């Protein structure tokens, strides 16, 4: 069974600075997707960024980028120029894309990020 | 708003009662997922549908839980004889599965409190 570990329960960063959230995962499969989702307080889960395991290039979406290290099974999220609106729980998630595999998302426990003014 | 919608947003019930939640996916999304999230945890998978077919159920899903997606559009999740341990946020997500690609988009959730 796949597992996702987020070792930082809470983090804080000053507005306009850069912060990196860590995520490691365990799988024996070779074909999978990785995601970062953001869940602001009392609001719904929003997709931040997606990475296909077969792609060597790290995904980027505006101020959000990932450092995907497939051999190390590491998938960290970097937020540049942090904004107050980035305050949220951030969840790392894994999806097995192996034919016949389960296509559910497996989530980590989350990292609570606070951006301070 | 064309996102995933869920109703009700909040539900308080007494132990032993039955409850039903509804999820309306993004139009033309063929997959629909149910997850449960307890305080301080990430969401846990419960079940999912492709069109009207239920393709997988988690071992977490006891016999008291049942889900349907009768016409491949909206879905309902029913919990019979609720227990206090069922208190959680129930999340629905939908995706368009096409050529092996999909990304799940989440609804706002239904928060259940069992007294």
């Amino acid at each position: 069974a796949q597992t996702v570990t987020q070792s930082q329960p809470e983090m804080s960063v000053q507005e306009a600075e850069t912060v990196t959230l860590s995520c490691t995962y365990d799988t024996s499969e070779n074909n999978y997707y990785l995601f970062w989702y953001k869940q602001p307080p009392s609001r719904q889960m929003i997709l931040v960024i997606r990475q296909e395991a077969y792609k060597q290039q790290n995904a980027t979406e505006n101020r959000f980028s990932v450092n995907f290290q497939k051999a190390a099974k590491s998938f960290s999220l970097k937020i540049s120029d942090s904004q107050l609106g980035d305050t949220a729980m951030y969840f790392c998630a894994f999806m097995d894309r192996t034919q016949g595999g389960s296509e559910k998302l497996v989530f980590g426990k989350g990292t609570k990020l606070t951006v301070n003014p | 708003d064309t996102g995933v919608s869920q109703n009700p947003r909040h539900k308080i019930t007494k132990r032993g009662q039955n409850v039903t939640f509804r999820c309306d996916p993004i139009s033309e999304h063929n997959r629909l997922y149910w997850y449960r999230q307890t305080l301080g945890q990430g969401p846990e998978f419960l079940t999912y549908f492709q069109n009207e077919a239920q393709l997988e159920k988690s071992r977490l899903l006891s016999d008291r839980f049942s889900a349907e997606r009768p016409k491949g559009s909206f879905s309902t999740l029913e919990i019979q004889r609720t227990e206090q341990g069922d208190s959680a946020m129930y999340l629905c997500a939908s995706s368009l599965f096409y050529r092996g690609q999909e990304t799940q988009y989440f609804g706002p959730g239904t928060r259940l409190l069992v007294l």
Side-chain angles (χ1 to χ4, degrees), chain B residues 2-113:
Chain B
T2 57
V4 178
S5 62
Q6 293 186 245
N7 288 288
R9 294 291 306 277
H10 303 273
K11 180 71 176 178
I12 300 174
T13 191
K14 293 182 179 179
R15 190 176 53 184
Q17 298 294 304
N18 299 342
V19 294
T20 300
F21 309 142
R22 176 176 170 131
C23 172
D24 287 87
I26 293 170
S27 179
E28 298 181 357
H29 276 193
N30 52 4
R31 285 193 170 179
L32 188 149
Y33 295 78
W34 285 100
Y35 293 85
R36 180 171 64 190
Q37 185 179 21
T38 53
L39 204 60
Q41 302 293 319
E44 292 178 302
F45 169 78
L46 294 178
T47 188
Y48 88 98
F49 296 82
Q50 179 159 317
N51 300 314
E52 64 274 10
Q54 190 172 19
L55 296 188
E56 186 178 350
K57 292 197 298 185
S58 166
R59 280 169 284 183
L60 294 175
L61 211 63
S62 78
D63 291 344
R64 297 184 297 105
F65 287 69
S66 63
E68 294 184 342
R69 194 182 183 200
K71 295 183 180 179
S73 57
F74 72 91
S75 175
T76 58
L77 177 69
E78 181 183 17
I79 309 174
Q80 297 182 328
R81 304 181 303 282
T82 53
E83 301 172 357
Q84 288 183 329
D86 297 331
S87 296
M89 175 77 87
Y90 289 83
L91 296 171
C92 175
S94 72
S95 69
L96 177 62
F97 179 72
Y98 180 69
R99 292 187 176 180
Q101 301 277 326
E102 72 173 302
T103 296
Q104 294 178 29
Y105 296 91
F106 283 81
T110 295
R111 187 172 293 282
L112 173 66
L113 178 60

Side-chain angles (χ1 to χ4, degrees), chain A residues 1 4 7-8 15 21 23 32 36-37 47 49 57 88 91 94 97-98 101 103 105 109:
Chain A
V4 176
S7 58
Q8 305 151 316
E15 199 174 3
L21 308 184
C23 172
Y32 51 87
W36 281 97
Y37 282 89
L47 175 68
I49 200 164
Q57 187 172 5
F91 292 97
F94 172 99
R97 297 302 310 151
T98 306
E103 289 153 323
L105 286 168
K109 290 189 174 182

Side-chain angles (χ1 to χ4, degrees), chain A residues 13 15-16 38 81-88 113-117:
Chain A
V13 63
E15 199 174 3
K38 165 186 175 181
D81 186 24
S82 298
Q83 300 176 358
L84 297 178
D86 295 334
T87 292
L113 176 67
T114 302
V115 180
N116 298 308

